């Protein structure tokens, strides 16, 4: 679990490169529409637009490479660039050894077969992640290696890339047999859901949200958003394609469009329901937790602060929440709303994707958004009251919580005071073994989990506390966690 959590955090590094891609390509297509049809580029404005489109496309086209280096650096113990270099070496070696030209020398590779297609798509984010992991693990294990004097030049960090290269050869030999089988499974899953049209898109959206707590949604996204198995909904959308121009077997954008009404309007509706159903003496706490999370979801599509605020308090409600995503994805498919994102389904990406050729009926975000707001609001309010769910602001009162709330510093920018209160709730500094943070959470290893006082931690303004392992503790803070 700790390894998966570390990988999830490392993936945020390359993902953070995507928003600039969306901004550049969105502006570029707006300034130079002829780029979409491959027409002539005339005039200074269109030339600038063409320049911006190509700049953004450079990142989309090499996304797998970003994953390799980003994961390599992100998973290394001290985020050293040496791990990124080792990951790059691993990526180059694996993708060359498993290219169709190299593989065809070692085994029969019939053009058009599943195996041929698998190896022709070896330069994908999945392989990039594997290369990143190899680079990071080799760095963590061999960064302090001491060799004999006659090999001393290669001691320490200088040997990391060499070791990563050797490991990559072994991994390539394994993937020579495993990758076609794995690829065939992904193709079957993707085509199975893709063949279901709008219903399949809804099923995908449901599982996308359902896998968030485990961090496994990244694997699912690779099947539909990127060109891992030949779908690449996100890649095609931002490359300026349309369903017809790229001769696609699915309606371009259906694996992204449904997220916009849910994230931009559904989450604020659900947040309002939580605030209204909170206890009178805890409404301010509920507002502090879910309102800022709702704003974050609306503007930039960052949903974790909201989701982690209730998914472990009311897991049944989280399943309902995931189901609503599936339902609205199906609806958006049928009504013809099409939008894409480079980072997530917030207002920013909606604006910049509106000028792309695959975008369609983007004005419908208004009626769809109003519907999502109302449905999420009434469903959440009904479920919370009907089942007496312990969403933020509805937790059981006790003396310990009251004392903690009186002594904690809430809803202010004195991060030192907040950190001190959280640290005390974790059992003091002597109980903390390691501490790190991702985009919304503090991640800790503690000596004794019985010393962790969840009520005191939440009273400090934290959205919740998660215990993913015997000694692992996560404190949900929100986007201000870095401070």
């Amino acid at each position: 679990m700790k390894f998966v959590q570390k990988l999830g955090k490392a993936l945020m590094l390359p993902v953070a490169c995507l928003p600039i891609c969306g901004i550049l390509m969105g502006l570029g297509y707006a300034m130079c529409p002829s780029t979409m049809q491959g027409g002539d580029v005339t005039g200074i404005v269109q030339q600038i637009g063409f320049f911006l489109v190509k700049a953004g496309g450079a990142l989309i086209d090499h996304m797998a490479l970003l994953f390799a280096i980003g994961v390599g650096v992100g998973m290394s113990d001290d985020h050293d660039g040496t791990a990124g270099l080792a990951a790059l070496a691993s990526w180059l070696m694996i993708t060359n050894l498993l290219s169709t030209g190299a593989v065809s020398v070692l085994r029969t590779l019939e053009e058009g077969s599943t195996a041929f297609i698998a190896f022709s798509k070896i330069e994908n984010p999945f392989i990039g992640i594997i290369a990143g992991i190899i680079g990071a693990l080799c760095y963590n294990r061999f960064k302090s290696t001491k060799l004999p004097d006659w090999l001393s030049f290669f001691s320490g960090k200088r040997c990391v890339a060499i070791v990563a290269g050797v490991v990559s050869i072994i991994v390539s030999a394994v993937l020579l047999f495993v990758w076609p089988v794995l690829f065939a499974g992904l193709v079957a899953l993707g085509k199975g859901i893709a063949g279901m049209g709008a219903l399949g898109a809804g099923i995908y959206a449901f599982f996308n949200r359902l896998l968030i707590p485990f961090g496994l949604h990244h694997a699912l996204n690779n099947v539909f958003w990127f060109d891992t198995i030949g779908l690449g909904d996100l890649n095609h959308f931002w490359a300026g394609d349309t369903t017809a121009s790229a001769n696609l077997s699915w309606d371009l954008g259906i694996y992204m469009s449904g997220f916009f009404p849910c994230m931009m309007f559904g989450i604020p509706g659900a947040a309002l329901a939580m605030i209204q159903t909170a206890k009178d003496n805890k409404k301010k706490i509920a507002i502090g937790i879910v309102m800022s999370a709702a704003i974050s979801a609306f503007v930039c599509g960052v949903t974790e602060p909201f989701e982690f605020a209730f998914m472990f308090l009311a897991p049944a409600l989280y399943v309902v929440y995931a189901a609503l995503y599936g339902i609205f994805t199906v609806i958006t498919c049928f009504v013809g709303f099409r939008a894409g994102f480079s980072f997530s389904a917030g207002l920013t990406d909606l604006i910049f994707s509106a000028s792309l050729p695959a975008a369609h009926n983007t004005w419908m975000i208004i009626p769809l958004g109003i519907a999502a707001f109302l449905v999420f609001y009434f469903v959440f309010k009904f479920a919370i009251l009907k089942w007496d769910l312990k969403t933020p602001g509805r937790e059981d009162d006790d003396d310990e919580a009251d004392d903690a709330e009186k002594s904690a510093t809430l809803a202010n920018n004195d991060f030192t005071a907040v950190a001190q209160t959280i640290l005390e709730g974790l059992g003091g500094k002597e109980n903390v073994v390691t501490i790190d943070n991702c985009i919304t959470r503090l991640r800790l290893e503690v000596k004794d989990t019985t010393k962790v006082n969840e009520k005191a931690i939440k009273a400090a303004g934290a959205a919740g506390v998660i215990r993913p392992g015997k000694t692992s503790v996560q404190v949900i803070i929100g986007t201000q966690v870095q401070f």
Side-chain angles (χ1 to χ4, degrees):
M1 177 61 73
K2 185 178 179 181
F3 176 85
V4 174
Q5 292 168 357
K6 194 172 183 179
L7 174 61
K9 177 191 172 184
L11 285 170
M12 291 299 100
L13 187 59
V15 166
C17 297
L18 298 183
I20 184 61
C21 164
I23 293 172
L24 291 173
M25 298 187 77
L27 286 173
Y29 281 124
M31 298 170 68
C32 184
S34 62
T35 304
M36 304 171 187
Q37 290 82 30
D40 294 333
V41 178
T42 58
I44 185 64
V45 174
Q46 288 198 10
Q47 289 175 348
I48 294 174
F50 176 82
F51 192 77
L52 294 178
V53 168
K54 290 300 181 182
L59 298 183
I60 285 289
D61 294 342
H62 298 91
M63 192 178 302
L65 194 55
L66 296 178
F67 273 87
I69 298 174
V71 169
V73 174
M75 290 194 70
S76 62
D77 287 339
D78 47 9
H79 308 305
D80 194 286
T82 305
L85 180 63
L88 175 59
S90 175
W91 159 264
L92 293 172
M93 194 166 289
I94 293 175
T95 54
N96 276 274
L97 288 174
L98 297 183
S99 64
T100 53
V103 174
S104 61
V105 176
L106 302 174
R107 54 176 289 187
T108 302
L109 205 58
E110 184 179 348
E111 188 170 351
S113 65
T114 300
F116 181 88
I117 298 172
F119 289 115
S120 68
K121 295 183 178 296
I122 198 65
E123 295 185 7
N124 61 75
F126 177 77
I127 298 299
I129 292 172
I130 290 178
I133 292 173
I134 291 174
L137 294 182
C138 289
Y139 174 81
N140 294 340
R141 176 65 180 82
F142 297 102
K143 62 182 178 182
S144 301
T145 299
K146 293 183 179 180
L147 298 175
D149 290 343
W150 59 281
L151 286 175
S152 60
F153 176 81
F154 297 103
S155 293
K157 294 180 181 180
R158 289 194 180 109
C159 77
V160 172
I162 298 173
V163 176
V166 174
V167 173
S168 298
I169 294 174
I170 299 172
V171 170
S172 297
V174 174
L175 288 174
L176 184 64
F177 302 97
V178 173
W179 174 242
V181 178
L182 181 60
F183 184 84
L186 291 174
V187 169
L189 172 66
K191 288 185 175 179
I193 293 181
M196 299 171 69
L199 179 59
I203 293 173
Y204 158 71
F206 170 70
F207 281 108
N208 172 279
R209 291 297 96 181
L210 208 59
L211 292 173
I212 287 282
F214 310 101
L216 298 177
H217 58 297
H218 294 295
L220 190 65
N221 293 342
N222 271 297
V223 175
F224 295 93
W225 290 352
F226 308 122
D227 195 26
T228 300
I229 67 166
L231 287 176
D233 203 41
L234 188 151
N235 294 70
H236 282 291
F237 201 101
W238 288 96
D241 296 331
T242 63
T243 303
S245 68
N247 193 27
L248 303 178
S249 60
W250 76 98
D251 194 2
L252 186 57
I254 64 173
Y255 300 111
M256 296 182 287
S257 303
F259 290 89
F260 283 93
C262 296
M263 291 183 178
M264 291 178 62
F265 295 93
I267 287 179
L272 179 60
M274 289 183 179
I275 292 171
Q276 289 187 346
T277 55
K279 297 178 180 179
D280 291 338
N281 64 329
K282 293 187 176 182
K283 284 190 183 293
K284 288 185 178 180
I285 297 176
I287 291 173
I289 293 173
V290 301
M291 189 53 68
S292 60
I295 295 173
S296 177
F298 178 83
V299 175
C300 56
V302 175
T303 60
E304 277 193 334
F306 175 76
E307 291 160 345
F308 279 100
F310 78 95
M311 65 169 60
F312 294 102
L313 290 171
L317 183 61
Y318 189 79
V319 175
V320 173
Y321 167 79
L324 290 176
Y325 270 78
I327 293 170
F328 269 93
T329 294
V330 174
I331 293 173
T332 57
C333 288
F334 282 125
V335 301
F337 169 80
R338 297 291 181 270
F341 47 78
S342 60
F343 177 65
S344 193
L347 177 63
T348 304
D349 269 308
L350 178 64
I351 293 173
F352 285 113
S353 72
S355 61
L356 296 174
H360 190 61
N361 290 337
T362 52
W363 62 268
M364 292 193 70
I365 189 61
I366 302 301
L368 284 170
I370 293 173
F373 182 92
L374 293 175
V375 170
F376 273 70
Y377 169 77
F378 285 113
V379 168
F380 266 65
K381 189 171 184 179
F382 172 81
I384 291 170
L385 296 177
K386 178 69 175 179
W387 300 325
D388 190 25
L389 300 176
K390 306 303 179 184
T391 49
R394 290 178 58 83
E395 301 92 341
D396 293 329
D397 293 308
D398 57 35
D399 295 336
E400 180 184 12
D402 290 339
D403 292 340
E405 288 173 12
K406 291 176 183 177
S407 61
T409 305
L410 299 174
N412 64 60
N413 293 324
D414 189 351
F415 299 114
T416 302
V418 174
Q420 182 178 357
T421 304
I422 293 175
L423 186 59
E424 292 172 357
L426 290 165
K429 64 179 182 181
E430 62 278 357
N431 194 41
V432 176
V433 179
T434 62
I435 182 169
D436 201 351
N437 73 276
C438 64
I439 192 169
T440 57
R441 286 167 278 170
L442 291 174
R443 299 174 182 267
L444 306 105
E445 292 292 323
V446 297
K447 296 178 182 177
D448 186 357
T449 54
T450 62
K451 294 181 179 180
V452 177
N453 184 339
E454 293 189 17
K455 295 292 184 181
I457 294 173
K458 290 180 182 179
V465 178
I466 307 170
R467 301 170 185 259
K470 291 183 179 180
T471 60
S472 300
V473 177
Q474 296 179 10
V475 181
I476 312 302
I477 302 293
T479 53
Q480 291 183 314
V481 66
Q482 60 184 318
F483 302 113

